[in-house]
Amino acid sequence: MLANQTTVQHQLRPEVCAPVLEVEHLTVGVPGVGAIINDLNLTIRRGEVLALVGESGSGKSMTARSLMRLMPSGISILEGSVRICGEEVLSLPEDKFNEYRGARIAMLFQQPHVMLDPTCTVGAQAGEALHVHQHLTAEEEHERVVQLFRDVGIPEPEERMKCYPHQMSGGMAQRVMIAAALSADPDLLIADEPTTALDVTVQAQILQLLDRKRRERNLSILLITHDLSVVSAIADRVAVMYSGEIVEQGTTDEILHSPKHPYTQSLIHCSLLQADESGELYAIPGTPPELLSKIPGCRFRSRCQVAEKWGHPEVCSRVAPPMVEHGGPGCCARCWVGASNDIQAQAIRICQTELEGHRDGC
Amino acid sequence: MPIFILRRFAVLALALLVVTFLVFLIPYIGETDPVRALARARFGRLDLDAATIEALRLELGMHRPLIVQYLDWLRSAVTGDFGNSYMSREPVVEQVWSALKVSVVLTLASLGFAFAVAVPAGSIAALRQGGSFDMATKSLSQAFVAVPEYWLAPMSILVFALYLGWLPSAGWRGPESVILPALALSLRPMGYFTQVMRASMIDVLNSPHIVAAHSRGLSVRRTLIAHGLRNALLPVITLFSVWMAGLLGGAVVIEVIFAVPGMGRLVYSAIVNGDIPVLQAGLVAIVTLAVVINTVTDLAYTVLNPVVRIDNATA
């Protein structure tokens, strides 16, 4: 009830246009067992780069796979809505949704080498989306792939098209994947850690390439990463994910410079790689909870160092915080601490009623 | 690529040299004394005096050093001359050649049928893992692997030849006489091929590049054909070549039950009769074929899997 009252609609930047991707209350998990991704809300506008950050196992990649409807077997979408350019896609049958994959919504992966079929030339693979969605003749398709390869910075495209994946470097393979993903001119690119497996200089080139494509085609990008320097380089907005939930969302500037959620603060602290007085590097204490486990209250509670300092730590352990506006407009976080006095008062009241109910029950 | 092929051929030649030497040694290490075997065949009795035996030994050239005899034997063998059969007195090569033709037909018919059934069956079972088709395929392939040929062959004769009267029960006359033995011979490899195809297709379907292909909008069927089949076929091709080499060497049980004059029966009766020239020529043919099939499989591998191709060319 409280969640409904206080969930804040993401404040939209006035200068950006229609949303390309709208995700509402997306819950993904094992039917009958539990959720891996819980009540996820995201909006990406045309030409916008939204970074989804968080540590390994927080559900970032699962979010990407769910949006493509390519979850591992056993995992399914339990509820929610996903709209691409205003059209609801979760209810579409598989063959209808295939018309979206590659054409409207495309994906880049972490390890380009294993994502390419070793027995098939890279040219053939890069032309596949074109072949399926645009019904070109073989010559037209070849021509287009040559252009695409040249466009993403692959030298000697005619020659390289005949190569097999193992004959290419990681950076070149990722360029092939980008060419393949962008070939049918999608509206949204989901890039799942596209630079993590590459060395730093190549990383920068790939990010530049993605940024250029975004500007040239007004491409929207959901960039999944755990690297905050990548975030600061190209993202407009950031969503921070922890244990299957988005815990904070806001503009890149706000998130990186004045994070509200204790988890975001710890994450940024970690990324600075600064040693404390004793010479130890900072690490967030503890480990994230099991993804499928049900936890009353805040999922970050057991590792949170802020809750203790707040006057009402019992509230954090008992009442799950909703996404509430923190500080500036468009910035919200899933944390009681730092929320407005009204909201805090409500939370404390709920907690007390619950405790009393408990006592009465006994 | 040419370097790779040349190297393969060098290995092939070496393997053949070693094997032919071992085959040549058979008369000297076996229990059958070749001289006595020949004497028995020629005179129809065993109690011969030492002079006759010695004369035969000279005639066979067995008094010369072993290596000279081997080179002499090899020189004739290369020109296709393995001597005459002790039993029929006819040139060995002709006997081996006609038996080989029969075995090739039988092998290709049975393995081709097994492959043609196993590849689609294994693929569909892998796609619908845990479904009813998968379950049916699993039980049938296990049954096929387990059923012994010496039971299956008489049963199929009983049903199709004696009861239904559709096909001849035995012999080797015309295409219809191939069907029953080929069918009986195909079930075991079919079971193995299906199981391997299913497992390897499941492996391939779980590999990341299949997810990437789906993400480009390829349908399940298209992904399977474009990116699944070629990868999944590799282990089945290997198994196929192993079975092919094995069956070309003769399927003794099936050949005996169906009275098929193939390599199995030829070599078997050569052993029983101590007909050493036939045995030697038969073994050389079998081994040569096995080695050649192995080489062809390696080459087929390089066509299917470019990773192997490049590694070998640059190494």
Side-chain angles (χ1 to χ4, degrees):
Chain A
M1 197 168 60
L2 183 76
N4 289 343
Q5 287 164 0
T6 51
T7 301
V8 178
Q9 274 290 305
H10 309 140
Q11 292 290 318
L12 316 171
R13 292 194 297 158
E15 71 270 25
V16 287
C17 20
V20 165
L21 176 76
E22 294 162 280
V23 182
E24 279 171 15
H25 308 299
L26 182 70
T27 302
V28 178
V30 186
V33 179
I36 294 172
I37 294 167
N38 217 339
D39 193 25
L40 187 111
N41 293 285
L42 277 179
T43 304
I44 304 179
R45 307 188 158 273
R46 193 164 290 285
E48 186 180 47
V49 177
L50 174 71
L52 190 59
V53 300
E55 61 199 316
S56 316
S58 59
K60 294 170 297 179
S61 292
M62 192 57 74
T63 305
R65 297 279 291 264
S66 305
L67 294 178
M68 293 299 285
R69 282 176 48 183
L70 290 171
M71 295 85 70
S73 62
I75 292 171
S76 48
I77 293 171
L78 302 176
E79 60 172 295
S81 131
V82 174
R83 287 195 296 279
I84 294 171
C85 301
E87 290 161 83
E88 174 62 48
V89 295
L90 279 193
S91 52
L92 288 177
E94 185 66 16
D95 58 327
K96 279 277 165 215
F97 190 66
N98 262 337
E99 292 169 14
Y100 279 79
R101 290 192 189 116
R104 311 293 294 277
I105 169 171
M107 190 161 175
L108 273 187
F109 301 87
Q110 183 170 349
Q111 289 166 310
H113 268 135
V114 300
M115 302 315 288
L116 287 162
D117 181 351
T119 65
C120 193
T121 63
V122 293
Q125 295 183 67
E128 262 175 347
L130 276 175
H131 189 94
V132 176
H133 298 294
Q134 298 191 351
H135 312 291
L136 305 175
T137 65
E139 294 87 58
E140 286 172 329
E141 193 185 305
H142 180 87
E143 223 18 71
R144 281 286 294 279
V145 176
V146 172
Q147 280 171 16
L148 281 163
F149 272 26
R150 193 170 291 133
D151 188 45
V152 299
I154 299 174
E156 296 166 353
E158 298 262 6
E159 287 306 306
R160 287 305 180 97
M161 276 180 71
K162 295 178 212 140
C163 284
Y164 288 92
H166 68 275
Q167 294 167 294
M168 299 195 121
S169 66
M172 277 301 146
Q174 192 60 292
R175 283 172 202 268
V176 169
M177 290 300 278
I178 294 174
L182 299 183
S183 60
D185 208 9
D187 300 295
L188 172 69
L189 178 69
I190 298 177
D192 186 2
E193 311 233 11
T195 58
T196 308
L198 308 174
D199 72 58
V200 202
T201 48
V202 182
Q203 257 186 39
Q205 291 167 359
I206 296 290
L207 287 177
Q208 271 170 9
L209 173 62
L210 288 178
D211 199 37
R212 175 164 66 84
K213 290 281 115 194
R214 177 258 285 260
R215 276 182 281 108
E216 281 173 7
R217 306 179 180 218
N218 240 346
L219 178 72
S220 311
I221 301 177
L222 175 63
L223 180 74
I224 292 168
T225 181
H226 60 255
D227 187 344
L228 293 177
S229 58
V230 169
V231 173
S232 68
I234 85 165
D236 300 311
R237 287 194 301 124
V238 181
V240 182
M241 214 165 169
Y242 180 77
S243 189
E245 288 177 333
I246 289 185
V247 295
E248 182 164 4
Q249 232 185 113
T251 62
T252 306
D253 205 41
E254 280 175 285
I255 299 278
L256 293 186
H257 295 113
S258 54
K260 303 300 184 299
H261 196 282
Y263 175 64
T264 317
Q265 291 163 0
S266 308
L267 204 63
I268 292 169
H269 193 168
C270 288
S271 73
L272 295 174
L273 293 177
Q274 277 174 348
D276 60 16
E277 304 85 41
S278 59
E280 299 248 334
L281 280 175
Y282 176 76
I284 307 176
T287 49
E290 292 286 322
L291 273 175
L292 284 167
S293 65
K294 276 197 177 312
I295 291 169
C298 175
R299 292 184 77 85
F300 189 58
R301 174 67 186 87
S302 61
R303 302 170 77 185
C304 186
Q305 291 154 312
V306 176
E308 299 298 336
K309 294 170 195 153
W310 189 43
H312 308 276
E314 75 282 359
V315 175
C316 296
S317 318
R318 291 186 172 271
V319 190
M323 281 296 260
V324 290
E325 197 172 291
H326 272 246
C331 190
C332 28
R334 217 179 259 279
C335 185
W336 295 122
V337 188
S340 69
N341 288 337
D342 270 7
I343 292 168
Q344 286 190 351
Q346 276 186 53
I348 293 165
R349 215 161 33 242
I350 291 173
C351 183
Q352 275 163 356
T353 357
E354 206 181 87
L355 280 171
E356 277 156 23
H358 227 259
R359 230 168 289 146
D360 294 347
C362 297
Chain B
M1 190 87 168
I3 300 166
F4 165 58
I5 292 178
L6 279 179
R7 257 201 348 203
R8 286 297 325 181
F9 278 115
V11 171
L12 191 149
L14 193 71
L16 282 181
L17 213 61
V18 171
V19 170
T20 49
F21 185 67
L22 291 177
V23 168
F24 162 78
L25 283 180
I26 288 172
Y28 302 91
I29 54 180
E31 275 179 30
T32 336
D33 178 5
V35 181
R36 287 187 182 280
L38 181 62
R40 188 180 59 175
R42 190 173 289 181
F43 304 107
R45 56 197 175 88
L46 278 171
D47 51 335
L48 294 158
D49 55 273
T52 321
I53 298 274
E54 204 45 46
L56 264 174
R57 201 177 292 282
L58 278 173
E59 187 188 322
L60 288 170
M62 290 185 81
H63 56 289
R64 297 173 300 165
L66 206 57
I67 191 71
V68 175
Q69 287 186 52
Y70 169 64
L71 290 175
D72 196 38
W73 175 84
L74 190 64
R75 197 179 309 124
S76 324
V78 168
T79 61
D81 178 13
F82 285 90
N84 289 352
S85 161
Y86 290 173
M87 307 305 292
S88 67
R89 304 282 179 87
E90 283 165 12
V92 165
V93 175
E94 279 163 35
Q95 284 186 29
V96 172
W97 181 237
S98 74
L100 198 59
K101 279 190 288 194
V102 171
S103 275
V104 166
V105 170
L106 189 59
T107 303
L108 288 184
S110 57
L111 290 186
F113 180 60
F115 189 78
V117 172
V119 169
S123 304
I124 296 170
L127 266 182
R128 312 211 174 123
Q129 210 182 328
S132 52
F133 184 87
D134 186 25
M135 289 302 161
T137 311
K138 210 185 234 168
S139 350
L140 268 180
S141 64
Q142 269 164 8
F144 285 180
V145 167
V147 170
E149 283 152 2
Y150 54 78
W151 180 82
L152 188 70
M155 282 302 139
S156 59
I157 292 177
L158 216 58
V159 175
F160 293 104
L162 300 184
Y163 183 68
L164 293 170
W166 290 351
L167 297 160
S169 63
W172 193 254
R173 292 171 300 275
E176 69 272 14
S177 59
V178 183
I179 298 174
L180 268 191
L183 205 65
L185 202 52
S186 70
L187 289 196
R188 258 159 36 95
M190 190 188 290
Y192 283 121
F193 291 177
T194 309
Q195 286 173 358
V196 170
M197 186 68 199
R198 176 184 175 275
S200 102
M201 187 56 102
I202 286 173
D203 255 17
V204 172
L205 288 179
N206 284 329
S207 61
H209 74 257
I210 295 290
V211 177
H214 276 310
S215 82
R216 285 177 220 130
L218 271 67
S219 64
V220 172
R221 213 179 110 213
R222 216 192 136 82
T223 309
L224 185 93
I225 292 166
H227 299 293
L229 218 47
R230 209 162 132 164
N231 288 288
L233 272 179
L234 291 171
V236 184
I237 299 277
T238 309
L239 195 61
F240 188 94
S241 79
V242 171
W243 270 89
M244 187 139 128
L247 289 190
L248 281 178
V252 179
V253 173
I254 293 290
E255 284 174 27
V256 168
I257 293 177
F258 287 97
V260 174
M263 288 300 281
R265 255 181 36 169
L266 182 83
V267 173
Y268 175 69
S269 58
I271 293 170
V272 170
N273 297 322
D275 198 343
I276 288 163
V278 175
L279 185 58
Q280 284 178 325
L283 287 178
V284 167
I286 289 168
V287 170
T288 310
L289 272 171
V291 176
V292 169
I293 288 168
N294 251 317
T295 311
V296 171
T297 312
D298 282 358
L299 294 179
Y301 237 88
T302 66
V303 173
L304 283 170
N305 188 356
V307 182
V308 177
R309 192 186 312 168
I310 303 306
D311 287 355
N312 277 301
T314 50

